[in-house]
């Protein structure tokens, strides 16, 4: 009788909720429809009445009874019928909306607008006596959705085998994509149609210190474009990645479809869930204008407000570093000629110095002097601590202690010297992927930082992750990054993570996670090179979820300057390097080149000294992924504006329209542009600087040479 009643109830519920539920955006341009078909949840998305995402399945595959299993058991037939992807009936729906304005601690604007309509659908699975909630939020710039798992008797603990969220498009779009990987995002962006991805995928990547590729999969954020008369730009990503593994996207090239593919752990499982819990948000940003995609703050709006009561210790930072000279091979991180050292046992004072150790007292003082003279906030010093002799490639767990300096690095003396000059030192914690070792030493390392007045740390995760078998983007490692950020917050320390997971808007919630790398940065100019279009794509992909420590500012781009016959070069003009400080948003910006290279071009270096890091307003003047970006930003608490424009391998002309300026003021603009004979290969250091009085009616024609750019500082005339 009980079974009959349950069956009858399920049947009646199916009849009652046979029609799809729809949700409209606040401005009415978007409509999302949710439906159940034979117990399987689907959604679709329309923009101005036209379908842009066709019916797409939702659901997860999980392991039986919530038991932890090994990879060999993941395909067990006993799991059939236990998944969270079918057999559902809709038992409830709740609607909500929000229209608020919030202020980021550091951001591209003083105020971010957060306006959406929400639909939360409760789905019951009668056969297993459990339920989940699918939550959709529709903004004026697109859709976010996630899974929610309330605590209940039959959904208490479970293990994710895979999340099967689909995004099905009706057309073959142009895509800017990276090869899917569990460990690296440091690849050159590929540009092709969706249908061409499988053919191009085998040649889409190069080597990396740690990589685990996913065949015919691509990474997020993924930028797409429907070309033709009714062009449309689409960005796919995720928001609020917490206690969950990061997702790639499997590609169905024939049907122009994508499906989530989560990062596994050493056992092959993709997530260990204890309810109540939620998944990250899946985000779909849509606009007929590329500029609106760059301006979208949906990913940040889907993150929770910060829980920090005091954020006064979090601040923008402009810094230099003892770094680039090691990247190009002029100096070394290691102090000695040894190739086998033991932390706590080896007496480094008795080793033979290699003569190329960069982090030595004399050199660091020189960097401090230059940074202080030119108004910088801080200096990063890499290679200061013992252990670099055999730090990489040996799966060595106890590789650093993050406390002990090399014999030629006098930490107390250099710290006092820096502070006497108004410079703070930025700590460097390279882990060599040994996350377990870092967690063991981080409390003492942060205590050391507090003792010496360091308030920022650059972390690094070069190489395979320890615990062995984990990946850079698996759930355990995602939680490790979070534990480090949480511990750093307790010590009032800002974190700049390298080789970590791409940001997903979490610096709204944890604003001390001030920046990250998580992409192919300037260092790759010395490794394998970055294409001229690289910086015109990153703001549409990697930067969508948060600031990047891209480390711009290279003035001496030809490496044969240091090493005769060296064919490596940074594929940019000097003026383009200046423009990157505006185009690529980060409240943590590095002037990455050597002091002696800046001393030869102090007139151009002035822009790096002047440019702001935190903003009251941002205007995307014009943009096209892979081609060009032109951006204007208003400095926080001032009437000063900074404008930057960059191009790919093609020379371009652009007219800067200053109508965003106040109508009742005059301004003095200092223009830093490519020289008439500039060329990123043959004459990259050719530039021209001039001043001009402008108003909001001024239209200024700029010429950008191939892989060139311009930067403009704009100050009110007093």
């Amino acid at each position: 009788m009980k079974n009959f009643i349950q069956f009858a109830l399920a049947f009646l519920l199916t009849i009652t909720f046979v029609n799809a539920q729809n949700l409209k955006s606040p401005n009415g341009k978007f409509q999302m429809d949710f439906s159940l078909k034979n117990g399987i949840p689907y959604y679709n998305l329309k923009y101005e009445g036209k379908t842009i995402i066709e019916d797409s399945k939702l659901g997860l595959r999980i392991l039986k009874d919530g038991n932890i299993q090994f990879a060999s058991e993941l395909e067990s037939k006993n799991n059939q019928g236990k998944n969270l992807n079918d057999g559902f009936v809709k038992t409830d729906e709740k609607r909500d909306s929000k229209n608020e304005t919030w202020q980021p601690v550091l951001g591209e604007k003083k105020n971010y607008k957060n306006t959406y309509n929400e639909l939360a659908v409760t789905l019951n699975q009668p056969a297993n006596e459990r339920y989940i909630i699918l939550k959709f939020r529709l903004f004026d710039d697109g859709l976010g959705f996630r899974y929610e798992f309330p605590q209940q008797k039959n959904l208490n603990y479970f293990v994710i085998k895979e999340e099967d969220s689909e995004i099905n498009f009706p057309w073959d779009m142009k895509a800017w994509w990276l090869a899917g990987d569990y460990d690296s995002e440091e690849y050159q962006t590929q540009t092709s149609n969706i249908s061409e991805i499988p053919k191009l995928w085998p040649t889409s990547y190069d080597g990396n210190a740690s990589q685990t590729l996913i065949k015919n999969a691509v990474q997020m954020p993924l930028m797409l474009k429907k070309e033709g008369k009714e062009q449309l730009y689409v960005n796919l990503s995720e928001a609020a990645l917490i206690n969950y593994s990061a997702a790639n996207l499997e590609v169905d090239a024939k049907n122009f479809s994508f499906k989530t593919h989560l990062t596994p752990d050493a056992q092959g499982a993709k997530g260990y869930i204890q309810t109540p819990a939620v998944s990250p948000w899946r985000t779909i940003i849509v606009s007929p204008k590329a500029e609106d995609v760059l301006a979208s703050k949906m990913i940040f709006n889907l993150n929770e407000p910060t829980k920090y009561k005091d954020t006064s210790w979090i601040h923008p930072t402009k810094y230099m570093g003892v770094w680039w000279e090691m990247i190009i091979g002029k100096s070394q991180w290691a102090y000695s000629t040894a190739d086998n050292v033991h932390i706590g046992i080896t007496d480094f004072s008795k080793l033979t110095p290699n003569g190329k150790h960069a982090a030595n007292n004399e050199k660091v003082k020189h960097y401090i002097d230059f940074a202080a003279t030119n108004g910088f906030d801080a200096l990063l010093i890499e290679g200061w601590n013992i252990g670099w002799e055999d730090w990489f490639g040996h799966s060595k767990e106890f590789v650093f202690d993050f406390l002990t300096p090399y014999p030629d690095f006098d930490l107390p003396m250099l710290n006092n010297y820096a502070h006497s000059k108004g410079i703070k030192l930025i700590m460097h914690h390279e882990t060599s992927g040994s996350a377990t070792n870092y967690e063991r030493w981080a409390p003492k390392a942060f205590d050391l930082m507090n003792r010496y007045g360091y308030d920022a740390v650059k972390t690094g995760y070069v190489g395979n992750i320890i615990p062995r078998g984990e990946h850079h983007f698996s759930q355990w490692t995602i939680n490790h990054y979070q534990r480090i950020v949480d511990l750093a917050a307790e010590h009032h320390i800002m974190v700049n993570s390298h080789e970590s997971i791409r940001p997903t808007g979490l610096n709204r919630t944890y604003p001390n996670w001030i920046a990250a790398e998580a992409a192919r940065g300037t260092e790759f100019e010395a490794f394998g090179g970055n294409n001229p279009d690289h910086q015109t794509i990153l703001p549409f992909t990697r930067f969508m979820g948060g600031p990047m420590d891209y480390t711009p500012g290279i003035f001496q781009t030809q490496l044969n300057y240091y090493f005769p016959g060296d064919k490596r070069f940074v594929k940019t003009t000097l003026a383009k390097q200046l423009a990157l400080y505006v185009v690529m948003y980060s409240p943590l910006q590095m002037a990455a080149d050597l002091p002696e290279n800046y001393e030869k071009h102090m007139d151009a270096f002035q822009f790096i000294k002047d440019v702001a890091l935190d903003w009251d307003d941002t205007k995307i003047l014009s943009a096209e992924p892979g081609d060009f970006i032109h951006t204007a930003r208003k400095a926080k608490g001032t009437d000063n504006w900074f404008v930057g424009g960059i191009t790919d391998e093609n020379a371009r002309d652009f007219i800067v329209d200053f109508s965003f300026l106040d109508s009742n003021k005059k301004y003095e603009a200092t223009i830093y542009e490519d020289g008439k004979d500039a060329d990123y290969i043959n004459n990259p250091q050719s530039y021209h600087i001039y001043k001009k009085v402008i108003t909001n009616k001024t239209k200024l024609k700029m010429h950008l040479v191939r892989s060139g750019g311009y930067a403009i500082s704009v100050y009110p005339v007093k």
Side-chain angles (χ1 to χ4, degrees):
M1 184 67 176
K2 179 181 177 182
N3 289 338
F4 174 79
I5 293 172
Q6 287 179 336
F7 174 79
L9 176 61
F11 178 78
L12 288 172
L13 288 170
T14 303
I15 295 295
T16 303
F17 297 109
V18 68
N19 294 324
Q21 285 71 48
N22 64 65
L23 180 68
K24 291 190 176 182
S25 62
N27 65 6
K29 291 187 177 182
F30 287 97
Q31 178 174 314
M32 190 281 302
D33 295 314
F34 171 81
S35 62
L36 283 175
K37 299 179 182 180
N38 298 319
I40 300 172
Y42 288 83
Y43 76 100
N44 62 47
L45 186 64
K46 297 180 179 66
Y47 178 73
E48 294 188 334
K50 297 180 180 179
T51 298
I52 56 173
I53 295 180
E54 299 174 326
D55 280 356
S56 302
K57 290 182 183 179
L58 298 172
L60 300 96
R61 286 171 277 158
I62 65 174
L63 305 186
K64 66 170 186 175
D65 303 324
N67 294 324
I68 296 175
Q69 298 174 298
F70 290 92
S72 60
E73 300 176 83
L74 293 185
E75 297 298 335
S76 170
K77 294 181 179 179
N78 294 329
N79 287 330
Q80 293 178 359
K82 299 291 185 180
N83 293 316
L84 289 167
N85 57 15
D86 63 5
F88 287 115
V89 293
K90 177 175 169 291
T91 58
D92 193 18
E93 69 173 75
K94 289 185 172 62
R95 294 179 182 267
D96 198 1
S97 62
K98 180 164 284 189
N99 184 2
E100 67 171 1
T101 299
W102 59 277
Q103 292 76 39
V105 175
L106 302 170
E108 295 183 81
K109 293 187 176 185
K110 182 178 181 179
N111 297 304
Y112 286 178
K113 186 177 180 181
N114 183 23
T115 304
Y116 63 79
N117 291 327
E118 179 181 285
L119 171 66
V121 181
T122 300
L123 299 179
N124 186 38
Q125 208 178 39
N128 296 303
E129 296 183 329
R130 63 189 179 190
Y131 66 98
I132 65 171
I133 297 170
L134 291 176
K135 183 167 285 185
F136 302 90
R137 286 183 183 170
L138 199 51
F139 300 78
D140 288 342
D141 47 353
L143 174 68
F145 65 86
R146 75 178 181 188
Y147 303 87
E148 299 186 352
F149 312 105
Q151 184 178 359
Q152 58 203 273
K153 178 181 177 181
N154 290 331
L155 198 64
N156 203 7
Y157 294 87
F158 64 94
V159 181
I160 296 174
K161 178 181 175 183
E162 187 60 277
E163 179 189 323
D164 292 325
S165 303
E166 293 181 354
I167 306 174
N168 302 325
F169 291 102
W171 340 273
D172 187 12
M173 291 192 287
K174 186 176 182 178
W176 290 266
W177 56 277
L178 301 179
D181 197 301
Y182 298 147
D183 284 292
S184 179
E185 294 155 322
E186 297 177 333
Y187 298 128
Q188 295 271 26
T189 303
Q190 307 299 306
T191 306
S192 74
N193 282 358
I194 297 171
S195 60
E196 299 171 312
I197 291 175
K199 179 179 66 177
L200 298 174
W201 191 92
T203 58
S204 66
Y205 55 88
D206 48 16
N208 200 276
S210 181
Q211 60 183 165
T212 311
L213 292 150
I214 313 163
K215 188 175 181 181
N216 290 339
V218 297
Q219 302 195 30
M220 294 190 292
L222 175 67
M223 190 67 191
L224 302 161
K225 180 185 180 183
K226 175 185 177 293
E227 298 184 294
K229 292 183 179 180
E230 296 181 344
Q231 69 178 23
L232 211 58
Y233 296 87
V234 181
N235 185 277
L236 307 180
S237 193
E238 59 185 337
L241 174 57
I242 299 174
N243 193 23
Y244 206 87
S245 62
N248 285 262
L249 293 170
E250 296 176 6
V251 182
D252 181 345
K254 292 182 180 179
N255 296 305
F256 321 133
S257 176
F258 298 95
K259 186 190 76 64
T260 50
H261 179 111
L262 301 180
T263 305
D265 68 0
Q267 299 181 146
K270 299 195 172 186
Y272 300 85
I273 306 299
Q274 177 184 356
T275 60
V278 297
S279 76
W281 294 92
R282 305 299 166 211
T283 64
I284 306 167
I285 298 169
V286 182
S287 177
K289 296 181 179 180
E291 296 84 358
D292 292 343
V293 173
L294 287 184
S296 172
K297 294 294 173 279
M298 181 200 297
I299 291 174
F300 302 95
N301 285 332
L302 287 166
N303 280 267
E304 294 298 315
T306 183
K307 303 297 193 297
Y308 300 166
K309 294 181 179 179
D310 174 25
T311 59
S312 61
W313 50 277
I314 301 169
H315 55 84
T317 300
K318 192 180 296 183
Y319 74 105
M320 296 188 69
V322 183
W323 174 77
W324 182 244
E325 61 182 84
M326 289 99 87
I327 294 294
I328 63 177
K330 186 173 182 285
S331 302
Q332 294 183 12
W333 287 268
Y335 164 77
S336 78
T337 59
D339 61 3
N340 186 316
V341 297
H342 295 265
I343 305 299
I345 299 175
T346 300
D347 185 347
F348 285 84
S349 68
K350 295 181 179 179
L351 298 180
T352 303
N354 59 31
K356 289 190 173 183
H357 182 227
N360 64 74
N361 293 334
E362 183 179 354
K363 181 168 290 186
V364 170
K365 288 176 72 174
H366 172 64
Y367 272 85
I368 290 171
D369 289 343
F370 184 84
T373 299
N374 289 285
F376 281 75
D377 303 307
L379 179 71
L380 167 74
I381 307 160
E382 296 199 3
W384 69 276
N385 56 320
I386 60 172
W388 287 90
E389 282 76 4
D390 61 353
W391 73 284
F392 176 73
H394 305 295
S395 194
K396 182 179 179 181
E397 184 173 22
F398 189 11
V399 61
F400 297 112
D401 68 7
F402 311 101
L403 300 175
T404 309
Y406 276 122
D408 62 346
F409 186 88
D410 188 335
L411 193 157
M413 181 275 290
L414 290 171
N415 189 67
N416 289 336
Y417 187 79
H419 287 189
S420 73
K421 300 272 187 171
I423 294 292
K424 287 190 175 183
L425 300 184
I426 296 177
M427 183 58 73
H428 183 231
H429 289 167
E430 175 56 59
T431 69
S432 190
S434 184
T436 50
N437 182 58
Y438 190 36
E439 290 199 14
R440 184 164 62 245
W441 286 94
K444 292 181 181 179
F446 288 165
D447 285 341
L448 178 82
M449 290 178 62
N450 287 160
R451 189 159 67 250
Y452 285 104
Y454 288 76
D455 66 357
V457 61
K458 174 184 175 181
T459 61
Y461 295 87
V462 176
N464 295 330
I465 294 294
I466 299 175
R468 298 172 183 90
E470 289 290 344
H471 297 289
H472 285 73
F473 313 144
S474 59
Q475 184 188 32
W476 186 93
T477 317
I478 297 295
N479 290 343
H480 162 79
Y481 302 138
Q482 189 62 57
R483 287 191 290 271
I484 294 300
V485 168
D486 291 342
L487 180 65
E490 294 175 14
H491 289 261
H492 283 194
I493 289 171
M494 299 179 291
V495 176
N496 167 27
S497 60
H498 279 230
E499 297 86 30
S500 60
I501 184 60
R502 62 182 179 267
T504 58
L506 284 173
N507 61 342
R508 178 187 182 186
T509 312
Y510 309 98
N512 66 314
W513 201 343
I514 190 172
E517 183 193 40
R520 197 176 176 105
T522 297
E523 63 185 1
F524 273 87
E525 301 282 11
F527 300 160
N530 291 331
N531 292 331
D533 66 354
H534 185 59
Q535 301 92 348
T536 69
I537 298 171
L538 282 179
F540 288 97
T541 53
R542 160 62 184 80
F543 278 82
M544 292 298 294
M548 179 181 177
D549 185 27
Y550 187 75
T551 62
I554 305 301
F555 281 13
Q556 180 49 258
T557 60
Q558 303 283 351
L559 298 195
N560 60 12
Y561 172 82
Y562 310 100
F563 315 108
D566 195 321
K567 295 182 179 180
R568 296 176 295 164
F569 68 101
V570 186
K571 298 178 178 64
T572 173
T573 65
L574 190 152
K576 183 176 183 179
Q577 287 293 300
L578 300 181
L580 296 180
Y581 288 91
V582 181
V583 171
M584 291 182 161
Y585 164 69
S586 180
L588 178 77
Q589 289 281 23
M590 185 183 199
D593 211 338
L594 311 185
E596 52 263 38
N597 293 330
Y598 291 134
E599 287 171 341
K600 297 173 184 176
H601 305 280
M602 291 304 292
D603 53 350
F605 189 60
Q606 186 64 43
F607 183 81
I608 298 178
K609 294 168 61 175
D610 291 341
V611 67
L613 304 176
D614 195 22
W615 309 98
D616 272 345
D617 200 6
T618 291
K619 308 286 186 183
I620 309 300
L621 305 180
S622 185
E624 178 65 22
D627 290 347
F628 56 84
I629 301 177
H630 303 272
T631 305
R633 302 187 193 272
K634 185 181 182 185
K636 180 67 67 69
T638 75
D639 289 322
N640 305 332
W641 286 82
F642 296 87
V643 185
I646 61 173
T647 184
D648 60 355
E649 68 278 7
N650 299 300
R652 300 179 191 275
D653 293 312
F654 180 70
I655 296 176
V656 181
D657 184 342
F658 287 97
S659 58
F660 54 82
L661 297 175
D662 289 347
S663 59
N664 59 348
K665 292 183 180 179
K666 289 184 177 181
Y667 299 81
E668 182 180 74
T670 304
I671 297 96
Y672 304 76
E673 63 181 3
D674 291 320
K676 291 182 179 180
D677 58 346
D679 183 83
Y680 81 99
I681 297 176
N682 300 314
N683 198 12
Q685 292 181 319
S686 174
Y687 59 88
H688 176 231
I689 303 173
Y690 67 98
K691 295 180 184 291
K692 181 181 178 67
V693 175
I694 63 171
T695 69
N696 75 327
K697 297 185 183 302
T698 300
K699 293 178 173 57
L700 188 62
K701 184 176 181 180
M702 304 300 303
H703 178 69
L704 295 75
V705 304
R706 55 181 189 156
S707 198
Y710 65 88
I712 306 172
S713 58
V714 180
Y715 295 93
V717 175
K718 295 182 180 179

